[in-house]
Structures are given as structure tokens and as C-alpha cells.
Amino acid sequence: MLGNFSYCNPTKLYFGKGSIKYLADELPKYGKNVVLIYGGGSIKKNGIYDETVKILRSCGKNVAEIAGVMPNPTLKKLHEGVQIARRAKADLLLAVGGGSVCDYAKAVAVSVHCEEDPWEKYYVRFEEPDCEILPVGCVLTMVGTGSEMNAGAVITNTDAKLKIGHVFKDERVMPRFSVLDPEYTFTLPRHQMTAGIFDIFSHICEQYFSGEDDNTSDYLAEALMRSLLHSSRIANANMTDYEARSNIMWTATWALNTLIACGKSTDWEVHMLGQAVGAHTDATHGMTLSAVSLAYYRHIMPYGLKKFVRFAENVWDVDPDGKTDEQTAEAGLAAMESWMRELGLAMNITQLGATADMIEAIADSTLIMQGGYRVLTRDEVVKILKESL
Amino acid sequence: MLGNFSYCNPTKLYFGKGSIKYLADELPKYGKNVVLIYGGGSIKKNGIYDETVKILRSCGKNVAEIAGVMPNPTLKKLHEGVQIARRAKADLLLAVGGGSVCDYAKAVAVSVHCEEDPWEKYYVRFEEPDCEILPVGCVLTMVGTGSEMNAGAVITNTDAKLKIGHVFKDERVMPRFSVLDPEYTFTLPRHQMTAGIFDIFSHICEQYFSGEDDNTSDYLAEALMRSLLHSSRIANANMTDYEARSNIMWTATWALNTLIACGKSTDWEVHMLGQAVGAHTDATHGMTLSAVSLAYYRHIMPYGLKKFVRFAENVWDVDPDGKTDEQTAEAGLAAMESWMRELGLAMNITQLGATADMIEAIADSTLIMQGGYRVLTRDEVVKILKESL
């Protein structure tokens, strides 16, 4: 059954070619001081920076900047951004970039008016903000994380070697608006597109492979997976196919904006394994997930057999006739493996730079989640990592 | 491809058994004067009225009431409610009931501070509100319309014999919060439950059977249909199966909160036919839809064959092997027909009191929509209505 839950997702989304123009409708709702937040500067090459600044100027905004937000935004960078936003007396934080930039903006938003150290409050004690939360707007340039319509913000404390995500409960942490123009993602390199696609797929799997009930959330998860599979193949053949890229972008948003977790338990162990691999190899997030997924799912399959059979039939169109449940389930995972190879995803952690002598350390960094079909022992973590080599 | 669109749906939903308690979290956000809006009084028999009023009192609210909202709320009733809300200096309108009560509350919300006649402004000229919009909260007791999470409000002008729905663009018209407790729907009579189920199904079909593109919205529509079919059969066998009723309730919300129409065209001709039948027979809305659906879909099938084949395969698990596309599509509609008979839905308009000599008048009342696979001529409307006899 659907367990009790609440749902609220007030982010206004402007979707499609040329949607940046709606920034001009949103900006008048906020005060004059905008802090523009971006990453390594690719938006200066592809024109998105100029387009954004032009609209900010035409709306009469004062613009301060936080540049150089890294793929894994650090606590040090957060402290720096808080100072900039305070000095600028920011009324709005405008994130232009991918999930990291958007995550970072949300972390700044809950920290500018926070009197404590944000790391202690939000990433150690996991408290909700009790101060004013600055509004965040987002112009998305990379697809995968879903950060454009959720209240999650991952921050890395490099001193403590900890990368921690806090999904805030307070919906005021979610972006007030997000501009989603699929064409803004066309200039990404192929491996970033495919890593993003697998990140989306993994988000869905993490929520799907948990629980025994027959609920609407799992049907919706299957729909998102089917749509993603279909569009990913088209985009892989033609990276500038607008239809495919737009469906992938939209799927990413709904894969991680809380909808498909409504009323059900979730797993997230693949993310724990992948993040541990990432901490020791600095590999791309989506690729760390693909490199451990098959070993993990084949390991837990016997404990969640019914769901794996359903996955095979409803997502991969496996015909169960004449097959045992185990064979149907394995045929589903085999179809998933074949799709992953087709996309050119990392199929093992060796490709990402992990070696056999790193396994114990990676296992030490792997958090054990409680919501999946099998709560792993440390030995099982080691086994899965070895099988992922 | 996904056409350009914007999406914003800020309604906070509290879902599950006992969720009425969250009313106490919401009420302090609004001023002291609450207008409680309800229908024929069934909430006084099943305890929901007492439970609601107790929470309102405990939160120190002044409570005025608009009782007796009818299944098709009239303009006269709207004028009456506006006067009550003005006298009470309403800070919040709390709708406790089904879609009609919730629709009505939204119509009052945009009319209390409106200086013009709301019918002229909202239902003749279809303008957006430019006055203050009163906040609406909703406690849902019937499932089907999706009114709990959208900005639609249907009002009937009995003098002009017009029943008109306005789906406002302004998301502030949407309920600020809705309480969705599946157990609140257990006391409904069976025919109201099944009529609600078909209303949900029809909402999905109206958005699904339009457009040729392969987009995420259609995958999500299929997921909602599959979940609904599954749960409807369980609920039909056991009306107090919480799992089934909760999934049906959740499906209803997502069937008509704009998600599955994002980026695509939609039809709505079945609703136009059904509403015309309803205007001449006063039959239950969901039953008017079921009574005309098969004739309509069989008529338009050749014009949207590809989508009907997809519907057969993805929603009804029809095996296309050895079948022509037409045969596959018809097998899908035959499966739908068999499900409808299983639920005991009205299968023709004769059952609802329509007769052959009413056909011309019903056809005169039927609006022709532009978004479906076939823009009907008046002759085709007559043909479909005759086939529905």
C-alpha cells in the first residue's frame, strides 16, 4: 500500500527552446541584488552567460558573481559563497549550470542567514533551516541530478573526506523557478550525456527496487525508465536530436523530485557504492554508478525476485513464458547490461582507476542503507566491489 | 517532441490515513476567518464535519459556512457564496467534499475580491483574476476530478443552460493544501466509486489520445492507466481495500494536475459529448463519459491508429503477433470494454435516460474540440451519439 506521505513541489518550470526569456518574467518578483552562480566557465563559451546577464541587466538588477563552482562543491567554496552573497545583500541566487551548481546555490541559500556553521547544522546534525532562506532560481545546462526541482544539496568536506547530501524537507529550499532548455545541453561531451542518462536511470532504480507493494509510484517509475531507454538510444545515435534530449531532460526532473518515492520505501545503496568509488578515484558520478550496478543488482536479485521479474517484463519486455522467475529476472538484467554497453557506460570500476588493493578502503567508505531488498554486510560490500573490478 | 510549456503545481498534499491532523499545521498560516464549504451534508453523517470543525476551533478560527454545494455548482450558488465569504471577511476557504465542492471553492476564491460579475469575467471572457485570490484548502471525500491539485473550476449557469469549466493559468488558484485520506472515500456508494474511476481513466485518455510524438507524458499516462486498472479491479471486489483505494486516489490526482499534458496536445471530445449528455439527462458525470467513450474511440481509431496500437500493447498487454494494426487496436478497445463491463459502468446513453429523439438536441450541445485525432463534423457527432444509444 501507499504509506502516508506529504508532497509539495512548488518549483515553476519553464521548459523548451528559448525558455530563458521567461527569466524576465521571474526577476521582477525579487529584489535588486542577484548573485549569479556558475561553474568552470563553459557558459561563457556557449553564450548562455551573456544571454543571462543581458536579461539581468535589462531587469535592472545588480549582479554579483560566484564563479568556479566545482563538480563536487566543497565546504570551503560554500563559506566563500556565503560571504559573497552577504556582501551583495543577495535577494536572489541564480544558478546557471548543472546539478552541482544548483546544489551549491541551495546550500548557500540556507547558509547566508544562518548564524551557525552550515556544515555542523545541515550536514552533521541534518537540521532544517530556521533562518530566512534565500530564493534560488536555476538555468539548467546539464541533465541528470534532478536538482532543478528538489531540495537536495550535496556538499563535500575535503578536510574530513566526507561528501554528504542533505535532502531538506522544507520546500522553500527548492528552486523557485528553473529554466529547462534542452538545447542548452547539446554542447556537453558524449560521456557526460551518457553518464547523466545513467544517473537518471539509477535514481529511478534506487526508488523502484524497494518494497513489495503494487503502488502507483512503481508504475510511474517504469514509465520513466521506458521513456528514458527509448530516448537514450536516439540521443546516443544523434546527440542533437531535440525530441530525445527534451524527453531525457524531462525524465531527469521527475526521476528525483520526490514523486516516485511517494508512499514507498527506497534503497540508494548503488549511490553509496558509487560515491565510495568516486571518493577513491574521482571518477564521474554516473560512471561510478554504472560500474557497480550490475554486480549489486545481481547480488540482491534473489531477495527481491518478484520486483526483478516485474522489472524484466514491464521495463525490458522480457517474455516470461517458459522461464523460471530467476531466468526472467536475469534476462531483465541482461537486457539492462546490453543497453549499458550500447551507451558506452563504464562497466567496471577498473576502468575508473580502482584496483584490487583499494577494495578494502572503498568498502570502508561505503555506507550501508536499510531500505533495499538486502541490508548488506561488509563482506557483501567487498564481494560486490570485487565483482565490479 | 515535447513542445514548450511551463509547469507549476504548488499544492501541498497530505496523503494517507489520519492526514486530517495536518490541517492543524496549515491553519496557522492563514488569518482567523475561515469559510467552511461543503455539499449535501454526508460529511455530517460520517464524522468528517465534526473532525474538521474541532480542528478549526482548536486553532482559534472563526468559522462561517457555505453548505449545500450541489454536484454541478450553479452561478446562483456562486453569488451566494461570494456574499457569505465577503461578510465573513474570509482569510481561507476550506472545501470539504468532492470535486464539485473544491471547484466551487476556487470559483469563490477568485470572485470575492472581483469587482465584476465572475461569470462574465471568468466564464465568458475566460480572463485570469487580477484581484486578490483567497487561499483554498481542500479535504477530499470523493475521488475522480483531480480538483484537489489543479486550477480548474466548473460552474453551471442554469439560466443560460451552460456548464463551463475554466482551467485558470494562475497557479495561485490551485488549493494551497489538500488532505487526501483514502478512508474518507470508503463510505461512497459503489456506483460513485466506479464513476469516479472512469472519470480518472477518461481524463488520462483525453490527454493520451492526441499527438504523434513519443514523449514522456504518454509513458506516464500509460503508467497511470495500468495502475488504475490494477487497483480498480481490487477495489471493485472489495470496496474497503485500502491499498487499492489509496492508489486510485493518488492516480486521480496525477491524472489531472497538468503533468501528463506537459508538452503535448490533448483532445477532451469525450468530455464534451458526456457533458452534453449530462445536460439533457442529469446523469452522473463519470457514467456519461463511459456511455459515449467506446463509440467515440472506435470512430476516431483509424485517424490515430498508431496510438491505439500502442494503447493496446502498453496498457492492455495485447500481443500484436499475427494481427494487423487495426486488429491490435480493436483488441485494445475490446479489452477496455470488457473492463468497463466488469466495473458495471454505463455502457450506453439509453441507460442514462437518453432517447433517439434527444440526439439532435444533444448534438447541438456538444462542443467540437480541435486537439484529437479527428475534428468531428456535426454528422459524426450524431453518428457517435446514435451508436451510443
Side-chain angles (χ1 to χ4, degrees), chain B residues 91-159:
Chain B
D91 297 308
L92 174 71
L93 305 175
L94 185 63
V96 182
S100 300
V101 173
C102 197
D103 269 35
Y104 174 82
K106 286 181 260 181
V108 173
V110 295
S111 301
V112 167
H113 294 287
C114 177
E115 289 173 11
E116 288 181 76
D117 181 62
W119 180 260
E120 286 298 319
K121 183 174 178 66
Y122 301 128
Y123 295 93
V124 176
R125 300 201 308 273
F126 284 92
E127 291 175 12
E128 290 293 306
D130 40 26
C131 60
E132 187 192 332
I133 301 166
L134 282 183
V136 169
C138 169
V139 177
L140 199 66
T141 63
M142 271 178 72
V143 164
T145 68
S147 188
E148 65 275 14
M149 201 192 188
N150 67 35
V154 182
I155 292 293
T156 297
N157 183 333
T158 41
D159 293 342

Side-chain angles (χ1 to χ4, degrees), chain A residues 61-74:
Chain A
K61 300 296 182 183
N62 304 320
V63 183
E65 292 195 7
I66 304 173
V69 177
M70 54 291 279
N72 293 309
T74 63

Side-chain angles (χ1 to χ4, degrees), chain B residues 150-370:
Chain B
N150 67 35
V154 182
I155 292 293
T156 297
N157 183 333
T158 41
D159 293 342
K161 291 198 197 305
L162 285 169
K163 178 178 170 181
I164 296 183
H166 186 170
V167 181
F168 291 91
K169 291 192 182 71
D170 192 326
E171 60 262 14
R172 290 173 305 161
V173 180
M174 294 179 178
R176 302 298 170 94
F177 63 89
S178 287
V179 172
L180 307 182
D181 182 341
E183 289 191 339
Y184 278 15
T185 69
F186 281 6
T187 54
L188 278 182
R190 178 182 297 272
H191 80 276
Q192 283 198 14
M193 176 187 80
T194 52
I197 288 169
F198 196 80
D199 194 19
I200 302 166
F201 192 79
S202 182
H203 291 158
I204 306 170
C205 287
E206 300 273 29
Q207 297 167 88
Y208 182 75
F209 285 115
S210 178
E212 291 292 336
D213 301 313
D214 198 340
N215 60 51
T216 306
S217 296
D218 286 336
Y219 285 94
L220 291 170
E222 288 165 352
L224 292 175
M225 288 193 270
R226 290 181 69 95
S227 179
L228 181 64
L229 297 181
H230 177 82
S231 293
S232 68
R233 287 176 163 135
I234 298 169
N236 197 37
N238 175 11
M239 284 186 60
T240 57
D241 184 293
Y242 182 86
E243 176 170 357
R245 297 299 290 270
S246 63
N247 282 310
I248 293 169
M249 190 173 220
W250 192 226
T251 303
T253 301
W254 289 88
L256 198 55
N257 69 359
T258 79
L259 175 66
I260 61 169
C262 280
K264 74 184 298 285
S265 57
T266 56
D267 183 355
W268 296 103
E269 191 59 48
V270 166
H271 271 66
M272 297 307 110
L273 288 159
Q275 282 173 19
V277 171
H280 291 262
T281 61
D282 206 28
T284 304
H285 172 66
M287 296 301 187
T288 65
L289 303 175
S290 65
V292 300
S293 281
L294 287 163
Y296 175 71
Y297 287 125
R298 287 195 167 112
H299 182 80
I300 67 162
M301 193 233 278
Y303 306 98
L305 186 60
K306 199 175 142 198
K307 185 60 82 57
F308 281 91
V309 168
R310 182 176 163 160
F311 176 67
E313 291 182 36
N314 292 359
V315 179
W316 301 99
D317 291 326
V318 172
D319 182 353
D321 261 18
K323 293 189 187 71
T324 64
D325 281 355
E326 286 75 8
Q327 287 168 335
T328 301
E330 171 49 36
L333 291 176
M336 174 174 156
E337 178 169 354
S338 139
W339 168 70
M340 289 167 69
R341 291 189 187 278
E342 203 180 313
L343 289 190
L345 295 166
M347 300 305 288
N348 57 65
I349 60 175
T350 310
Q351 281 177 264
L352 304 177
T355 52
D357 59 357
M358 291 160 69
I359 294 293
E360 291 295 328
I362 297 175
D364 287 341
S365 305
T366 303
L367 293 178
I368 306 292
M369 304 302 282
Q370 303 295 318

Side-chain angles (χ1 to χ4, degrees), chain A residues 193-326:
Chain A
M193 176 188 80
T194 52
I197 288 169
F198 195 81
D199 194 18
I200 303 166
F201 193 80
S202 182
H203 291 158
I204 306 170
C205 287
E206 299 275 28
Q207 298 166 87
Y208 182 74
F209 285 115
S210 178
E212 291 293 336
D213 302 311
D214 198 339
N215 61 52
T216 306
S217 297
D218 286 336
Y219 286 94
L220 291 170
E222 288 165 352
L224 292 175
M225 287 193 271
R226 289 180 71 95
S227 180
L228 181 64
L229 297 180
H230 177 82
S231 293
S232 68
R233 286 176 165 136
I234 298 169
N236 196 38
N238 175 10
M239 286 185 60
T240 57
D241 184 292
Y242 182 85
E243 175 170 359
R245 296 299 290 270
S246 64
N247 282 310
I248 292 169
M249 191 174 219
W250 192 226
T251 302
T253 301
W254 289 89
L256 198 56
N257 68 359
T258 81
L259 175 66
I260 62 168
C262 279
K264 73 184 297 286
S265 58
T266 56
D267 183 354
W268 296 103
E269 191 60 47
V270 166
H271 271 67
M272 298 306 111
L273 288 159
Q275 282 173 18
V277 170
H280 291 264
T281 60
D282 206 28
T284 304
H285 173 66
M287 296 301 186
T288 65
L289 302 175
S290 66
V292 300
S293 281
L294 287 163
Y296 175 70
Y297 287 124
R298 287 196 165 111
H299 182 80
I300 67 162
M301 191 234 276
Y303 306 98
L305 186 59
K306 200 176 141 198
K307 185 61 81 58
F308 281 91
V309 169
R310 181 176 163 159
F311 177 67
E313 292 181 36
N314 292 358
V315 179
W316 301 98
D317 292 326
V318 172
D319 182 353
D321 260 18
K323 293 189 187 73
T324 64
D325 280 355
E326 286 75 8

